[in-house]
Every structure is written in structure tokens, then in C-alpha cells.
Amino acid sequence: MYKINCLNPIAEVGLKNFNEQYRITEEVQEADGILVRSASMHDMAFSKNLLAVARAGAGVNNIPLDKCAEQGIVVFNTPGANANGVKELVIAGMLLAARDVVGGIEWVRASRENADIAKAAEKEKKNFAGTEIRGKKLGVIGLGAIGVKVANAAVALDMEVYGYDPYLSVSAAWSLSRAVRHVTNVDDIYEQCDYITIHVPLLDATRGMLNKEAISKMKDGVILLNFARDLLANEEDVLEGLGSGKIARYVSDFPNPTTAGQKGCIVIPHLGASTEESEDNCAVMAVEEMKDYLEHGNIRNSVNYPSCDMGVCTNAGRVAIFHKNIANMITKFTAEFGEKGINISNMTNKSRGEVAYTMMDVEEKPTQEIICALENIKGVFRARIVNG
């Protein structure tokens, strides 16, 4: 029986997909798998029982990926499961920035005791007038699951859309509207677009990419939208741009002391994926990934190990090995099986950077003895019996 711990509340529509082979446990140290949303795991000590962590969402900054990789713990995320919810809020953010809806609502609230509020509104509404987004140029930086949906929705709203992503996947390319202009230099977006929205992961290369240098290349009165990660923008530079008039509005889904309440900032309390549908989709995908890995050893949507799929094992057993991506490892593995007279009927090996993953289907039931022998090989992080 597999034991699953939920560090955060996980939607029941996902949890109900666990069958009688699974039990939800409150004891994290006995768990074979952990489901998490936003809880920080960086200070956690992981037990030897832990095989996998599934993040019900896309971002994994709350999980120590390298530490997990070195312990043979697979970390999954759920790319695209919350994409529609984020896309809709990005569109809402553009509309809020284009027309001072928030300011207008605040005026109405402050004037609620005025018996002539309707008449007063006719005089005051000019203070909240804005522009339409139709015909404006939108630059989408990052054409992953969310970026593609934002770009396509903006095309449907008659915007002129530019997209930048040097790592555009085949799947994203097929999903992207042909009306989107794919540019190969991000400066083209900075220089030409009225609205710029960013949808890239937070990496060393992207941290603070919306900085003073980038802002200096943008059109006067540009509107910036950040529904990916607050640290993608140097927000002190953004505030300077707002003060000079270079930036008209900064819309962010990440409240912090730097931008909260600042003039020109529309800060939303991290609502991008906070829809019932997004939470359900993420929970279902996370549970499916967890089950496929625990029961069959298959890896999909991992952020620290390569994708690997051998379907359902039809032999006597299956062994999974996590190891360094160095030469001669397969030879050592097969030698251990050969010494014990165990025939390997099927095998796959995939690598990702400095780590690799090997699965072997064997014609005899694997034992703990072979697991110990494999784990004693230098460079092996972990070996486990998947079936058998």
C-alpha cells in the first residue's frame, strides 16, 4: 500500500482517483508520495520512504529540486492544468490597466452616501476614462501553455500580437494562432508593444529581466503585466519607470511591500490559478502522475528527472534506478543482473543534465538483494522495485 501526504489541501476530485492501493496519511515521514501546492519544502528532512513529490501547479520554487534528485525523489508539476485560469486573469489585468475600472469603483464606494451619485458620476467619469485594447500591440514573452492561450485570446480581441520564445515547443507551435507574429529578439517586443506580458519560469537567466535596461527600450506609456513570478521584474526599476511616466501601469499578481499600494500599480492577491476549475485540474493531473510513477515507474512532467515511459510491466518485475549521468553505468547494471542469472527482457535509459533514469523489465522476480547491489554501485542515488 502506498501512503500519500498532502502538505496543502488538495481538491477532492483529484484525491478520489486514488484506489484501494493508497492511503492518505498525516505523517509526512511515512509517506511514499507528497502532494503540495504552496507549502515550502526547503527546510524539510526527507525520509527514505519518500519516492515522489507532485506539485499541484506549475511553479516549483518551494521545492528543493537538486536535493530531491540526489535522493532519487521525482518531483512532478502540472503544466497547463491552470493555464486557462491564469489566461483569463491576464486578460482582465489588461482591461483593468486600459480603463481605470478600479479607480471608478473606489470613487463609487467613497460616494455611496451622495444622494445625487448618478448625476455626480456623469461629471466624474471622465477622470476614469481609458483606452480600448483593440488594435493595440501586445508582446507575449514566453509561449508555453499560458503564453499561447494569452496570445490566442488577444488575437480574438483584435489585438496585434507579438510572441517571443527561443525554446518554442512543437506542441506550442501547433497551438499558436497563425496571426501571432513570432519574433526572435525580445527587444522587438520592448520597442514595439503597448502591452507586455511575461510568462517564463524563474531561472537565473530570467531573474529581474524586466529591469532598467529593458524598460529603457520600451515605448513611453507601456503597460507591463506580470502573472508569472514577481522576481522576474526588478520592481524598484519598475517603480522608477512609473514615476517617470515611461510605464503607465504595472499589473502584478504578487503582492509585496515594494508594489502594494504604489501609484500606477494594480496588485492582485495571487489569484491567477485560484479558480475551482484550475485547482481541480491540477489535483487530477498531480494524482495521475503520482500513480503512474509509483505503480509503473513512468515519469512525465518531472522537473528534476527525464521523461520516461515503458507502459505497464508484463514481465516478472521491473526495477528503476536513479543515477548520475556518467559513462559505463548501464554496463555495471547489466553485470549485476547477469551475475545473479536474471535476464533483462526490456530496458530504457534517459538522462537530464547530470542525472539519469534507467528502467529494466526482468524475467524473474527482483529481490532486495539486487536492489542493494545496484545501490552499492558508485554514482547510484537509489534503486527500487516497481513491480515484482
Side-chain angles (χ1 to χ4, degrees):
M1 177 171 289
Y2 299 110
K3 298 175 182 178
I4 305 297
N5 175 263
C6 300
L7 287 183
N8 297 107
I10 303 297
E12 186 61 30
V13 68
L15 296 180
K16 72 179 184 180
N17 288 334
F18 285 127
N19 55 30
E20 64 279 357
Q21 297 182 62
Y22 296 84
R23 178 171 69 83
I24 303 298
T25 177
E26 297 295 324
E27 301 297 326
V28 67
Q29 292 300 309
E30 71 175 17
D32 300 290
I34 289 176
L35 294 172
V36 63
R37 291 173 60 196
S38 59
S40 177
M41 300 182 68
H42 285 282
D43 295 329
M44 290 179 61
F46 301 127
S47 75
K48 292 183 178 181
N49 296 319
L50 186 61
L51 299 173
V53 175
R55 159 78 164 98
V60 289
N61 299 87
N62 56 322
I63 305 170
L65 303 183
D66 291 342
K67 175 181 173 182
C68 288
E70 291 168 1
Q71 296 182 38
I73 300 169
V74 184
V75 180
F76 301 95
N77 70 346
T78 57
N82 58 13
N84 190 70
V86 178
K87 174 208 75 178
E88 290 185 359
L89 198 62
V90 173
I91 299 300
M94 281 199 291
L95 295 170
L96 291 173
R99 307 176 70 173
D100 191 9
V101 177
V102 174
I105 291 172
E106 289 175 348
W107 178 86
V108 171
R109 183 180 293 113
S111 306
R112 62 185 179 276
E113 302 296 335
N114 184 354
D116 293 322
I117 187 172
K119 185 176 180 180
E122 291 304 313
K123 294 180 179 180
E124 291 292 331
K125 68 181 183 181
K126 62 180 181 295
N127 296 320
F128 312 111
T131 61
E132 298 179 13
I133 63 174
R134 181 184 182 185
K136 303 301 189 297
K137 294 180 180 179
L138 169 67
V140 182
I141 301 175
L143 294 169
I146 296 172
V148 166
K149 286 184 177 293
V150 170
N152 290 347
V155 167
L157 291 168
D158 292 330
M159 298 186 79
E160 189 176 330
V161 183
Y162 295 72
Y164 170 78
D165 193 329
Y167 307 107
L168 182 65
S169 70
V170 173
S171 175
W174 276 108
S175 302
L176 192 64
S177 168
R178 287 184 294 176
V180 175
R181 302 184 185 186
H182 187 223
V183 299
T184 57
N185 188 335
V186 71
D187 285 352
D188 292 337
I189 283 179
Y190 294 154
E191 295 166 2
Q192 299 185 50
C193 293
D194 306 296
Y195 293 78
I196 297 174
T197 181
I198 188 165
H199 300 283
V200 300
L202 179 62
L203 307 170
D204 290 340
T206 60
R207 185 182 298 270
M209 66 180 291
L210 296 181
N211 53 25
K212 185 176 297 186
E213 180 183 359
I215 292 167
S216 69
K217 300 174 184 177
M218 298 177 187
K219 296 174 68 173
D220 291 345
V222 68
I223 292 173
L224 299 182
L225 301 107
N226 183 0
F227 287 79
R229 286 290 179 271
D230 55 348
L231 295 178
L232 293 170
N234 183 322
E235 294 189 326
E236 293 291 348
D237 291 352
V238 170
L239 292 181
E240 185 177 324
L242 285 164
S244 70
K246 184 70 172 180
I247 301 172
R249 292 281 190 277
Y250 176 61
V251 187
S252 170
D253 198 26
F254 307 99
N256 59 53
T258 303
T259 56
Q262 294 293 327
K263 185 177 181 180
C265 292
I266 300 173
V267 184
I268 301 168
H270 203 189
L271 299 180
S274 294
T275 68
E276 182 179 337
E277 294 87 349
S278 287
E279 292 181 7
D280 286 353
N281 292 340
C282 288
V284 170
M285 185 181 289
V287 168
E288 289 176 349
E289 293 165 349
M290 180 77 74
K291 288 179 62 181
D292 197 19
Y293 170 67
L294 292 179
E295 296 174 24
H296 307 298
N298 298 321
I299 295 177
R300 53 193 171 95
N301 296 327
S302 172
V303 292
N304 66 342
Y305 272 97
S307 296
C308 190
D309 190 345
M310 284 181 60
V312 176
C313 178
T314 57
N315 295 91
R318 175 175 290 174
V319 173
I321 311 166
F322 299 87
H323 55 95
K324 291 182 179 179
N325 183 24
I326 54 179
N328 208 35
M329 295 301 285
I330 303 300
T331 301
K332 293 177 181 178
F333 300 157
T334 56
E336 289 294 341
F337 283 101
E339 285 182 10
K340 293 174 174 55
I342 300 175
N343 189 49
I344 300 170
S345 58
N346 195 13
M347 179 182 72
T348 188
N349 169 263
K350 301 289 183 180
S351 63
R352 178 174 181 161
E354 297 180 355
V355 299
Y357 182 60
T358 300
M359 281 198 292
M360 296 180 170
D361 285 356
V362 293
E363 296 182 358
E364 292 184 26
K365 185 176 181 180
T367 64
Q368 197 58 42
E369 181 184 4
I370 188 67
I371 297 299
C372 290
L374 292 168
E375 290 185 332
N376 284 332
I377 296 173
K378 187 176 181 180
V380 172
F381 302 131
R382 173 182 230 152
R384 63 177 284 244
I385 298 171
V386 180
N387 296 99

